[in-house]
Amino acid sequence: MKRVAVLMVWLWPTCSITWAQQPVVAEHAMVVSAREEASAIGAEILRKGGNAFDAMVATELALAVAYPYAGNIGGGGFMVYRKADGETGALDYREKAPMGATKDMYLDDSGHVIPGLSTEGALAVGVPGTVAGVFAVHERFGKLPMQDIMAPVIALAEKGVVVTAGQEKQLSTYREAIIKISGSATGLAKVYHQGDTIRYPALANTLRRILRNGRDEFYKGETARSIAGFIQKNGGIITLEDLGRYEVRWRRPVFFDYKDLRIISMSPPSSGGITLAQIMTMIAPYPLSRYGHNSQATIQVLTEAERRAYADRNYFLGDPDFTVIPYATLLSKNYLRRRMKSFSPDKATPSSTVSHGQVTISESNETTHYSIVDQDGNAVAVTTTLNGAFGSKLYSDELGFFFNNEMDDFSAKPGEPNSYGLIGAEANSIAPQKRMLSSMTPTIVEKQGRLFMVLGTPGGSTIITSVLQVILNVREFGMNIQEAVNAPRFHHQWLPDEVLFEPGKFPQHILQSLTGKGYHVNEQSAPVIGKVDAILINSQGKREGGADCRGDDKAVGY
Ligand code: DON
């Protein structure tokens, strides 16, 4: 089987020991996101009397301005919500394959995957869902007029955003890749340094047109015509009809219990909720708090559950509108306990005996997650993405934004790894109008029937295991929410058969002992695993924000 080159780019500092280990605490409401500017705009909407859904619209669009690395209007995402009255639901605004897409569109005549075709440039772009997503949220749940919500975002795009050290690194790391696809004249291809201000006048104009004409501006109006023309001129296949046909889907989230917690997470076409449910159900019988945080025994139990869950993920999961998913079996306690029967603490279970296939991992890419709780107790968890860093690297100077490369989340060929080393099966093969399988895991946790945690993260295939570890850090290991998001993480995904560890964060004797038991320890490939933004409701009902120290992330509340 073909091996994929390992390309890891260290874009985030690891957390220094001086990093705050105490959460930001707010009386009423809180937004935690990847950029302070976006959290502040979301929090301002809440302060003005908007609800969590208004703040979702504002934060999502503000991230498209302040965090073009992953924030977007050229991509898509998922929202899980829990209203103050306990009503829950989920919105799928994932991208869709264009109507001209075919199962073999990324293969050459001999049936081999053509490198780069599903990851760079116009052919990698799925029909974007973000604008439809925010309008659907606003229409169903919004309180404030769209004008009030979008005005500060448009003002931010005009005034500009100051480049952080992290953003300087992102832009310089991907400058060549952006130039290769979008040309050196493109705005974001310039050299920027920390402290510079980047203004986004073209994006401000696009947003202004969307505000004036509504959702259809992006899908049927002048903007739609510009998108279709631009994509086709660059060799892509998205048509005006594809845009016109795009629709979001309201979905029933995945629900499951872990001890005294009830967890509400994203359903297919994300694998997040089901895979998280499988892992947590498999590990529930083991006394993790007695084993200890990141102890060898804990690492083994989590790794073995992850191995079994990801094997199922890759085989069974895909767009539920196209694929029959055996939900009941995949989530059944009996089935999951049986899956763990082959686990022995003495020895790693080789992934080849859990299923078949040989692959390697994984490019470092980006997505972004934000968590919001408002003054009434409404909560939203949203993960949104362009897939790769700056998506397909295709940037429209006229419209002012990057397009996604989400098509790479499909299985271009059954058994071949995508850029996260994830291999897929028929369930996730490409078909016109189909949604590609995701790992995004926006999650809400209830305790004793009340809102307890809101969380999620970027990180491709490591999203699910990062969300898992943060919940366990709070529930099993007694951490506050800031400690829980900062704590070192590890990851396993069945294939490749290796366990990734954040480097230098785990005692060597544990890693050596794991190696002795047959685990393939890898401290090289993942300098950072996930970038979790979370809120916890404490016993006094206050909102505690945990913004991951691995990025520029920030909690803003009042
Ligand atoms: O939907 C997915 O699972 C991926 N497109 C997410 C990409 C991602 O998290 C990149 N971030 N590191």
Side-chain angles (χ1 to χ4, degrees):
M1 194 153 295
K2 195 162 83 56
R3 296 185 81 81
V4 177
V6 176
L7 173 60
M8 282 315 279
V9 188
W10 194 328
L11 289 180
W12 295 106
T14 48
C15 310
S16 76
I17 42 170
T18 55
W19 190 270
Q21 291 288 359
Q22 291 306 318
V24 172
V25 182
E27 259 338 289
H28 306 287
M30 169 89 62
V31 181
V32 192
S33 84
R35 282 288 302 227
E36 183 166 8
E37 292 84 346
S39 299
I41 284 180
E44 191 50 35
I45 292 294
L46 296 174
R47 210 190 301 263
K48 279 191 195 145
N51 62 20
F53 301 98
D54 296 320
M56 178 274 178
V57 175
T59 309
E60 177 89 20
L61 296 176
L63 283 166
V65 177
Y67 195 60
Y69 191 55
N72 66 82
I73 59 172
F78 298 106
M79 174 182 83
V80 171
Y81 68 86
R82 181 187 184 279
K83 290 171 62 181
D85 63 7
E87 178 194 321
T88 55
L91 179 68
D92 163 1
Y93 57 99
R94 182 74 161 165
E95 299 91 328
K96 296 184 75 167
M99 283 184 294
T102 59
K103 192 169 162 173
D104 296 339
M105 64 189 280
Y106 299 118
L107 305 184
D108 65 18
D109 290 343
S110 8
H112 298 122
V113 175
I114 304 168
L117 215 55
S118 66
T119 53
E120 293 174 342
L123 205 57
V125 183
V127 181
T130 297
V131 172
V134 296
F135 275 90
V137 169
H138 186 254
E139 189 180 292
R140 189 172 279 206
F141 296 121
K143 235 169 99 182
L144 297 182
M146 209 50 155
Q147 163 70 32
D148 294 8
I149 296 172
M150 287 183 69
V153 178
I154 294 169
L156 180 70
E158 267 165 356
K159 179 169 130 266
V161 181
V162 176
V163 174
T164 62
Q167 194 178 12
E168 177 184 329
K169 205 158 193 182
Q170 291 160 5
L171 287 165
S172 70
T173 302
Y174 290 100
R175 181 165 299 114
E176 285 310 312
I178 292 170
I179 289 173
K180 180 177 152 204
I181 299 300
S182 295
S184 55
T186 206
L188 278 171
K190 273 204 249 141
V191 175
Y192 290 102
H193 296 292
Q194 182 178 3
D196 291 349
T197 296
I198 309 183
R199 295 193 170 77
Y200 300 91
L203 182 55
N205 282 338
T206 301
L207 291 171
R208 226 180 269 110
R209 277 200 311 277
I210 292 172
L211 173 60
R212 197 178 326 120
N213 302 324
R215 170 208 185 278
D216 279 356
E217 169 61 30
F218 191 91
Y219 294 96
K220 294 177 179 162
E222 180 190 334
T223 305
R225 286 190 290 280
S226 172
I227 292 172
F230 178 71
I231 297 264
Q232 286 168 29
K233 191 179 87 194
N234 283 283
I237 55 173
I238 291 178
T239 61
L240 206 50
E241 194 182 352
D242 282 315
L243 290 160
R245 280 192 182 206
Y246 183 85
E247 275 184 7
V248 302
R249 302 280 258 149
W250 292 94
R251 307 243 182 226
R252 185 175 190 275
V254 170
F255 301 89
F256 64 97
D257 293 331
Y258 177 80
K259 302 185 179 175
D260 58 345
L261 304 181
R262 181 155 180 75
I263 292 165
I264 305 150
S265 191
M266 193 60 216
S267 43
S270 180
S271 60
I274 288 185
T275 307
L276 186 65
Q278 287 200 311
I279 296 169
M280 294 193 85
T281 307
M282 284 191 264
I283 65 177
Y286 298 85
L288 297 184
S289 55
R290 184 150 64 69
Y291 291 167
H293 176 247
N294 282 350
S295 65
Q296 181 187 305
T298 295
I299 293 171
Q300 278 190 264
V301 169
L302 264 58
T303 299
E304 294 300 343
E306 288 164 5
R307 189 190 314 279
R308 289 154 176 82
Y310 274 81
D312 279 357
R313 173 204 185 278
N314 293 1
Y315 187 74
F316 291 110
L317 302 186
D319 182 345
D321 298 338
F322 284 72
T323 301
V324 179
I325 297 174
Y327 290 95
T329 308
L330 292 178
L331 297 174
S332 117
K333 269 194 188 152
N334 284 339
Y335 167 74
L336 292 165
R337 302 271 153 93
R338 272 203 312 278
R339 293 276 282 166
M340 274 303 261
K341 278 232 164 86
S342 54
F343 163 53
S344 151
D346 300 332
K347 209 166 162 290
T349 312
S351 286
S352 55
T353 66
V354 174
S355 198
H356 52 81
Q358 286 296 311
V359 286
T360 58
I361 200 155
S362 168
E363 187 182 350
S364 172
N365 288 307
E366 270 299 342
T367 291
T368 192
H369 174 87
Y370 53 95
S371 296
I372 301 176
V373 177
D374 71 16
Q375 48 280 21
D376 296 322
N378 300 303
V380 304
V382 182
T383 315
T384 179
T385 191
L386 290 166
N387 190 28
F390 305 108
S392 61
K393 323 290 188 270
L394 183 67
Y395 182 85
S396 162
D397 281 304
E398 187 189 323
L399 297 170
F401 62 87
F402 280 103
F403 288 92
N404 69 82
N405 61 343
E406 220 72 58
M407 291 295 284
D408 188 59
D409 274 346
F410 277 119
S411 173
K413 181 181 175 187
E416 287 281 319
N418 73 358
S419 45
Y420 304 100
L422 290 168
I423 64 171
E426 201 48 47
N428 189 33
S429 63
I430 304 171
Q433 300 270 290
K434 190 174 173 182
R435 289 171 153 99
M436 51 300 276
L437 184 62
S438 172
S439 300
M440 293 192 281
T441 313
T443 297
I444 292 177
V445 181
E446 290 177 357
K447 191 173 174 182
Q448 284 144 7
R450 304 167 87 123
L451 179 64
F452 182 49
M453 290 172 74
V454 185
L455 76 163
T457 178
S461 55
T462 69
I463 289 174
I464 302 164
T465 57
S466 298
V467 168
L468 164 74
Q469 288 170 85
V470 173
I471 298 173
L472 294 177
N473 287 349
V474 170
R475 172 61 181 78
E476 300 289 356
F477 306 118
M479 295 185 200
N480 72 40
I481 195 68
Q482 188 62 58
E483 294 165 332
V485 303
N486 286 356
R489 290 192 274 266
F490 63 96
H491 169 74
H492 177 65
Q493 60 179 48
W494 175 50
L495 293 174
D497 190 352
E498 61 184 14
V499 190
L500 302 180
F501 292 87
E502 290 183 320
K505 302 279 178 177
F506 289 78
Q508 282 307 309
H509 72 271
I510 290 187
L511 301 184
Q512 277 157 12
S513 170
L514 288 167
T515 304
K517 286 175 185 282
Y519 291 93
H520 303 287
V521 167
N522 177 348
E523 272 193 289
Q524 309 306 316
S525 293
V528 155
I529 297 178
K531 204 157 62 72
V532 179
D533 284 338
I535 300 172
L536 181 142
I537 310 299
N538 70 18
S539 51
Q540 292 117 54
K542 292 186 180 161
R543 286 76 169 112
E544 298 191 353
D548 203 315
C549 60
R550 294 163 179 84
D552 291 327
D553 305 47
K554 200 82 178 173
V556 178
Y558 78 95

